[in-house]
Amino acid sequence: MNPYRRPAGWCEAPPDARLRILLLGASGFVGGGLWTYLAPRHEVVGTYATRPIPGLVRLDLRDEGRLAALAADGFDLVVHAAGLVPLEAAEADPALAHRLNVRPVEVLLDAVRGSGTKLLLLSSDNVFDGTRDRYEEADPRAPVNVYGRTKAAAEDLLLAEGGHLVVRIPLVFGRGPWANTFLARLAGPTTVARTDLVCAPVYLPSLGPALARLWHRTGVLHYGGSDVVTRFELMSRVRQALDLPTRVVAAEGEEARTACRRPPRLVLRSTRHRLLGPDLDSALAHLAGPNT
Ligand SMILES: NC(=O)c1ccc[n+]([C@@H]2O[C@H](COP(=O)([O-])OP(=O)(O)OC[C@H]3O[C@@H](n4cnc5c(N)ncnc54)[C@H](OP(=O)(O)O)[C@@H]3O)[C@@H](O)[C@H]2O)c1
């Protein structure tokens, strides 16, 4: 397969006006991928908290005055990809998870109210309990862990206000320009991956163009990956595609139990649009190619 080929399902956003965008969490894994896509096409101010990246500005979400002042600086769009993301960390400190994942959304809403600035909150499939075959936007949420509860609470704030957008995304895989939380799992001699967790993961480089196709919408949207796989299958296939020496060890049930409950099956599908991430074969060929 030609690695230069655009993966199937990889959409190109329609030519858009150049927007002024605030990207919160640009130093993160997902935020870095979004920065790569957005920065050449729009006027983007990106933020970091603890990992300084040249060109990004420092912001702690807990500095509410600074967050509000930044958000009120006349942006067309605020893409919110910052917060406490590791599920175990959120489970261990629910107050901190609320402080970083929920409270900043209140501050942002207050800051942009009436200004015409739109908020795009990146949310998660962890707002669901994972007992259904697939999840569409209107399906009832029932988070089983602290992280999922904070994402649901942040969604509620945004949706109560109206005029803004929540995009729920699943597990994201790929290589970020600076933060690589996904590939870090394959950095050691072995990695444990669960055979009893099913997902429809999304390839990072497809996310920016997909959001650019969707950000004129309001309410809740899902953006899921095309293929449904277990975590073990995903890690094994990424390991194989990149020819890494890491041994991927299958685990399930008791042996895989962690401090945090995880929904067993998370497949995001949309009734509001037709976009899906690229299929796994195309995404892995791209990931292994020279152009990532
Ligand atoms: N990764 C996934 O598979 C996935 C799946 C579904 C949804 N999401 C959502 O996507 C978003 C980004 O996730 P990610 O995987 O990119 O996480 P990540 O790599 O951990 O990045 C988190 C970002 O938040 C920033 N941040 C953390 N604490 C902060 C604070 N106190 N003040 C200001 N910024 C702070 C980090 O800055 P520093 O790094 O500079 O400290 C970083 O830029 C989150 O909303 C997450 O819920 C991710």
Side-chain angles (χ1 to χ4, degrees):
M1 185 169 300
N2 175 4
Y4 288 99
R5 193 171 68 82
R6 283 250 199 246
W10 182 321
C11 58
E12 198 42 78
D16 207 346
R18 192 171 158 85
L19 301 181
R20 201 160 171 264
I21 298 174
L22 174 61
L23 176 57
L24 300 172
S27 57
F29 170 60
V30 169
L34 294 179
W35 174 267
T36 302
Y37 178 77
L38 295 175
R41 294 168 173 81
H42 299 278
E43 184 188 334
V44 187
V45 175
T47 72
Y48 73 90
T50 60
R51 292 178 277 195
I53 309 285
L56 304 186
V57 301
R58 187 170 185 283
L59 171 78
D60 189 320
L61 291 168
R62 290 166 292 192
D63 183 346
E64 297 186 1
R66 168 125 172 80
L67 174 62
L70 193 57
D73 193 22
F75 292 97
D76 299 300
L77 181 70
V78 177
V79 178
H80 186 13
L84 187 65
V85 181
L87 270 61
E88 280 76 15
E91 206 69 20
D93 195 340
L96 181 66
H98 187 276
R99 189 83 184 79
L100 295 183
N101 292 350
V102 185
R103 175 63 189 153
V105 174
E106 275 178 311
V107 175
L108 286 169
L109 286 167
D110 285 345
V112 305
R113 191 167 291 119
S115 68
T117 299
K118 183 173 197 169
L119 300 186
L120 190 171
L121 172 71
L122 277 183
S123 189
S124 162
D125 52 5
N126 267 268
V127 298
F128 298 114
D129 63 8
T131 56
R132 292 189 183 204
D133 188 49
R134 52 191 265 149
Y135 287 95
E136 295 169 349
E137 286 92 348
D139 285 328
R141 299 166 311 169
V144 299
N145 53 45
V146 169
Y147 169 75
R149 284 193 281 279
T150 62
K151 298 306 279 190
E155 288 186 358
D156 287 341
L157 290 168
L158 212 81
L159 296 173
E161 185 91 5
H164 300 292
L165 176 63
V166 170
V167 180
R168 294 188 190 127
I169 55 173
L171 177 71
V172 181
F173 70 102
R175 181 180 288 116
W178 31 69
N180 272 304
T181 44
F182 178 80
L183 289 178
R185 296 170 195 161
L186 288 165
T190 61
T191 189
V192 174
R194 291 182 59 169
T195 53
D196 58 349
L197 294 183
V198 174
C199 57
V202 138
Y203 185 46
L204 180 61
S206 77
L207 191 55
L211 292 185
R213 295 268 301 251
L214 300 173
W215 65 36
H216 62 286
R217 312 278 294 268
T218 58
V220 182
L221 295 173
H222 286 181
Y223 177 60
S226 300
D227 290 327
V228 177
V229 288
T230 65
R231 291 289 189 107
F232 175 73
E233 207 177 330
L234 175 66
M235 299 313 281
S236 301
R237 290 187 61 183
V238 172
R239 187 212 67 76
Q240 190 180 21
L242 296 178
D243 197 20
L244 299 172
T246 314
R247 198 164 64 89
V248 182
V249 180
E252 67 175 301
E254 280 304 322
E255 56 182 330
R257 198 143 287 165
T258 60
C260 176
R261 274 184 74 196
R262 285 169 192 266
R265 182 183 172 90
L266 290 172
V267 177
L268 292 182
R269 292 294 178 254
S270 180
T271 56
R272 299 191 59 202
H273 64 83
R274 290 168 177 273
L275 295 183
L276 272 179
D279 65 83
L280 213 46
D281 284 342
S282 308
L284 292 177
H286 186 270
L287 179 65
N291 54 339
T292 58

